[in-house]
Structure formats: structure tokens, C-alpha cells
Amino acid sequence: MTTGNINVAVENIFPLIKKFLYSDHEIFLRELISNATDATLKLKHLTNIGEAPGVEYDNPVIEVRIDADANKLHIIDRGIGMTAEEVQKYINEVAFSGAEEFLEKYKDSAKDSGIIGHFGLGFYSAFMVADKVEIISKSFKDEPACHWTCDGSPKYTLESSDKTERGTEIILHINEDSKEFLEEGRISELLTKYNKFMPVSIKFGTREESKTSGEGEDAKEEKITVDNIINNPNPAWTKQPADLKDEDYNSFYRELYPMQFEEPLFHIHLNVDYPFNLTGILYFPKLGNDLNMQKDRIQLYQNQVFVTDNVEGIVPEFLTMLKGVIDSPDIPLNVSRSYLQADGNVKKISSYITRKVADKLKALFNDNREDFEAKWNDIKVVIEYGMLSEDKFFEKADKFALYPTVDGAYYTFEELNEKIKDTQTDKDGKLVILYASDKDAQHTYINQARERGYEVLLMDSPIVGHLMQKLETSKENISFSRVDSDSIDNLIKKDEEKISKLSEQEQETLKTTLDEVVPKEKFTVQLEALDSSASPFTITQPEFMRRMKEMSATGGGMFGMGNMPEIYNLIVNTNHELVGQILNTKTQAKKERLIKQSLDLARLSQGLLKGEELTNFVKRSYEMIK
């Protein structure tokens, strides 16, 4: 038996491990199973290149076993194993990494062997939950097995063992504060969370299965006990896209999200090996207009080892609303988000994902535009968010981002420009794009625009104000105006000027009368000479003020605008017959009644008439038709 002290530099490592190495103690299980997987894949590689003569790989299994009575947790592999000399080197001399040396030795042939990181500090994470740790290991080489023991101090013992099977068994003597890791439910939860897609099968206990034997009348069903394999070693993202069908992608989606009953709209398979390695599958779920949907649904892996599902700063923010998996050996196996975000490879990966998603969306648009249009309302929030937050995505999205009309037609910006430039360019040469945010609430205004032959977009997502602002600053000579932001003649000002039927004196008299009846705190009265068929009273809300308030509500706009009171204009059409009637009515009571009724009708069309005012309007209306 050998006794000794681990490299003196380790003396300060144990408290560091217990407090600071990982943000959560549960990570120890991920690290130890990663090491077991590493050892197993090393053996596979050596047998493949003929450097493990007489050894059969034979699809070994990693086993996790609880011995609650003895306060022990066992992790057992049938991998490469270690000699006493290797234990001395790789476990006691932490400064060296077995995986690093292995990669150096076989760097040319081991590129695709799927080796997971370091057999070093990862192993020492065991001391976060254990008072004592044992390693019993037998190398694939023809050398005696060894038994290493350490109680969490720099002192250790290393002696021979009678173990005959190749591989390594780690025994953790769980400490008093970590008894949760002796519960089957807790270990099962962690294995599912971190190791669900590890590339080597992981056994955790057994389970019963039904098996039918015999045929016809002799057929009978019996229960058999089988190993409980908790992982899928060959998940869809590790395969080539050409080898997968749509049902395979949908099946994997259900495997990732067993409680999600709705199928994804489509998927994007990521597969790149230069200038970095990355694989993965991203799914577009149905999103609608909800900006508050649950994020953290993309799972980040490193060689099939779960790292985190908080991918903000790693995946572009606008894509955090998607679901799926990203796997890259170039992402450090570290749960610190700030560390990940500062990593150079991670930044490159983020840019790549943005480009890949844009290219896939463009391909979907080109291949089946009708299907893309049918799905637009369920994916537009992600695309619009991306156009706002990523300039490179904005440039690409310009080719497939759609602008639906209230009549159900869909245009790209280029198509829309071509469609409306002749009718909706104002006298100053600016293209005015009209839109509605609510077809029902703005129906009257939409109809007025239709009568002029104008196209009206339906733009109802919660970030549409921000998007319009971006488009107005990115494209030349365009502006967006909601159909209820001004009178129809003023929305798109043309050269022709309408003449009022009322003289200047009559207009002044009318304005004075209106100001006496219309509440000043709510409305600014504007007299305008409009077409005689246009509404006599129209309520509008200035585009700039309303848009800034809406943008403030979703983060943005001008500071303090969100608290500004609602401001409305009351546009009175001096060429309408009713307005002339109001002016010429002799009795003050009737004049006031006509103004209030006309104002309330205008308010009703904007959904502004409620409560007592609505009750009074209904009562007054009945009285007027008696």
C-alpha cells in the first residue's frame, strides 16, 4: 500500500471545489458520468485503431447504483481503466489531464472519437457531496487493479485490488448535508437532466417490461425484468439530416418536451465542422403574439453532456423563444454564463446560428411560400424581434419577412413597395404605408382607406412600433401611419386641396360652438375641408404620440412617454351636411344634442365610449328617434 500527499497545490483546491467550482453541487454527477463516458469512448477508439489488442469493446454500459444503507453512491464503467501509476498521475497530480495527454498522443486519429474533456478537477467535484471517495480501477492493459482512497484532505492511500473486470468504479461516501443524493428519485432526476443523451448507455436499476411469447391461442404475456437504461445514446442531432424524416424530428421533439402536445411548425438542423464544430436541431413552436412565453427551452450540450438551458448570451436573444438542442465540443463544460458569453467560440457560434436560421427561413419561403404564409402569424414575433436586434438578420430577413394586409394578402417589402407606390406616395414623394392594429376596432377607418384604393397592412404584434421605427430609419423615404391617426385626406397628402363650403366667419363660429361642448381635456378640435361623403366627426390619435406610448410599454420609445395621457384629435368635416346643420341650428339645446350625439358616434367607432357615457348615449339615441 502507498500513502502520500496529493500535489501540494491541491491543498487549497478542496474548499474551492466545495464552494466555488460549480454553482450547484448536483453537477458532480454530470462530471463523474462524463469521466466514465470519456473512459469508455477512449477504449472504443483504441480498439478501433488496433492499440488495445485482445480487448473487445462490446457496447459497455455505465452503471449508477445507490447503497442507501451504507451511504454510498457507485458509478461503474467498463472503459479504459487505470493502472496504479496512472491513478498517481491523473488523480494525484491534478495539474495534468488524462484526456489532454490522450488527445495529444492521438490528435490526428482521435478527432471524431467524441472524447469529453478533463479527468481532473471534474473528478474532484465528488468532494462537494462526499466525505470520502474511493476509486477501484483495472486498466485494459495486463496490469493489476488498484484501489485509491481519499477523505477530502491532501492525504490518500493507493493499494492493490482484487478487481478482475476492466474499468473503474467510483464510490462516494455521501456526507450528512447531501443525503438527497441517496434518493432514487433525485438521482433519476439528475440523470435525466444531465445525461439523457450521453453517447454511452447508462443503467440505473431495473424495470419490468411486458413480453409476449407464443403465437395464436398459445400466446401469453409475461413480465420480464430488464436494465433501466435512462438515456438515448444516439439522439437525432447526432445523425445526418439526410438520414432523418419529418416524423423522426417530431419524435425527437416529443422526447425533448414530453409535456408539449402541439407539434412544432418546422425545424432547422444545424451541422457545421468549420471553423468550429456544432450540431443541433432548433424547432419553431407556435408563438403567436405572446412575448412572455417561457424562454430557456433550448438545451446546450457539449458532446452530448448537458451544460445549461439558460442560453441567453450564447444563442442570439431573439432565438431564445425557440426550442431544441445545440451541441458543440467548442463550448466549455462550465455552467457559468458569464464565462460562456466571454468565450470567443461562443460568439462565433451565435453569429453562425443567426445566419443559419435566416438561410433556413429564406429556403422555406422560396420552397413553399403558401405554407410559409400560413405559418407567418405563429412565427412573426421571432422574426420581427430578430430584425430589431440583429442587423445581419435584418438584411437577410428583408427577403422573406412578410407584411400581411387586412384582406389576407401577404407581401415582402419589395412587393409591397411595388404594389402601393403609385397610389400611396404623397405630394413630397414619401411612400406612406397604412396599417391597422385591430381590424374590428378600426373597421371604419380601414373602409375609408379601401374606398380610396389604398392597401392597409395588419400589423398587430406587440413590437410592431419598434419594427416600424427600424424600417423608417433603414429604408429611404417611407413612413408608417395607422389608419386612425388622421383623416383619410391627411394620411396621404396629395397636391389637390379641398375647399370648405363654410366661410371663414362660419368656421370661426362653428369652432367656438364646438369648443363649448367638446371636452377640452380629451379632444383637440380641428376643422378640415374633406370630401362631403367622409364622416362628419372623426376621432384620430396622432401617430407619433401613440406609437411612442406603445413602444414605452414594451421597452423603448422616449423616456416618460408611457405615462403621458391619451391625446385625441376631433376632426370635423366642414363639407358634411350634418356639420352645416349643426352650424345653422337655432336652439342651443338641439345644437348641443347634435354635437354630443355626433361626438359619441365618433367615440363609439374608436371603442372610447364606456360606462355612464355609453348609457347616456343609448338613452339620448332612443329619445332622438321617438
Side-chain angles (χ1 to χ4, degrees), residues 9 17 57 61 76 88 97 110 134 263 279 314 321 325-326 371 382 389 398 505 517 531 547 558 565 567 572 579 595:
I17 286 168
Y57 181 67
V61 171
I76 306 158
Q88 172 69 29
S97 163
E134 299 178 64
E263 296 288 350
T279 54
I314 301 158
M321 293 181 276
V325 166
I326 292 168
D371 183 59
V382 173
S389 58
D398 204 35
Q505 181 62 46
V517 180
D531 194 283
R547 196 194 297 183
M558 294 175 68
I567 298 173
V572 179
V579 175
I595 292 171

Side-chain angles (χ1 to χ4, degrees), residues 539-588:
I539 292 171
T540 64
Q541 193 173 19
E543 176 75 18
F544 176 78
M545 296 292 287
R546 194 209 70 253
R547 196 194 297 183
M548 287 300 115
K549 277 179 67 68
E550 289 173 353
M551 286 168 65
S552 292
T554 54
M558 294 175 68
F559 179 73
M561 291 294 283
N563 299 320
M564 290 285 287
E566 298 287 353
I567 298 173
Y568 295 97
N569 293 331
L570 175 63
I571 296 174
V572 179
N573 181 5
T574 60
N575 287 335
H576 196 279
E577 184 180 350
L578 176 60
V579 175
Q581 186 182 338
I582 290 170
L583 179 67
N584 296 317
T585 297
K586 302 301 181 189
T587 64
Q588 187 63 24

Side-chain angles (χ1 to χ4, degrees), residues 239-376:
K239 300 171 184 176
Q240 291 298 315
D243 298 333
L244 297 167
K245 298 177 180 174
D246 282 346
E247 52 262 40
D248 297 318
Y249 286 107
N250 288 342
S251 174
F252 180 59
Y253 182 76
R254 289 189 291 273
E255 189 177 350
L256 281 172
Y257 309 105
M259 301 305 293
Q260 179 68 48
F261 303 110
E262 216 168 23
E263 296 288 350
L265 295 168
F266 50 82
H267 62 266
I268 297 171
H269 197 135
L270 306 167
N271 194 352
V272 64
D273 54 17
Y274 181 82
F276 47 79
N277 289 292
L278 180 137
T279 54
I281 301 171
L282 295 179
Y283 294 93
F284 269 76
K286 286 187 176 180
L287 296 173
N289 280 343
D290 186 8
L291 265 182
N292 299 312
M293 75 289 293
Q294 185 180 353
K295 293 188 180 182
D296 301 343
R297 301 309 300 269
I298 295 176
Q299 299 173 13
L300 186 66
Y301 287 77
Q302 190 236 59
N303 281 333
Q304 295 174 240
V305 183
F306 178 80
V307 179
T308 181
D309 58 6
N310 186 343
V311 295
E312 210 166 316
I314 301 158
V315 171
E317 190 179 358
F318 76 98
L319 294 178
T320 58
M321 293 181 276
L322 303 187
K323 297 181 179 180
V325 166
I326 292 168
D327 189 335
S328 174
D330 295 321
I331 292 175
L333 192 57
N334 184 305
V335 291
S336 163
R337 217 170 97 228
S338 59
Y339 183 86
L340 283 170
Q341 289 171 7
D343 186 82
N345 279 321
V346 170
K347 290 176 182 175
K348 290 177 192 170
I349 287 168
S350 178
S351 297
Y352 165 77
I353 293 170
T354 299
R355 188 174 76 251
K356 185 72 175 178
V357 168
D359 290 345
K360 175 69 173 182
L361 290 167
K362 180 69 166 66
L364 289 167
F365 172 79
N366 289 340
D367 294 345
N368 190 342
R369 175 161 178 169
E370 188 178 345
D371 183 59
F372 192 82
E373 289 180 358
K375 291 171 177 171
W376 176 254

Side-chain angles (χ1 to χ4, degrees), residues 52-64:
V55 175
E56 290 186 18
Y57 181 67
D58 197 28
N59 295 319
V61 171
I62 295 167
E63 182 178 2
V64 179

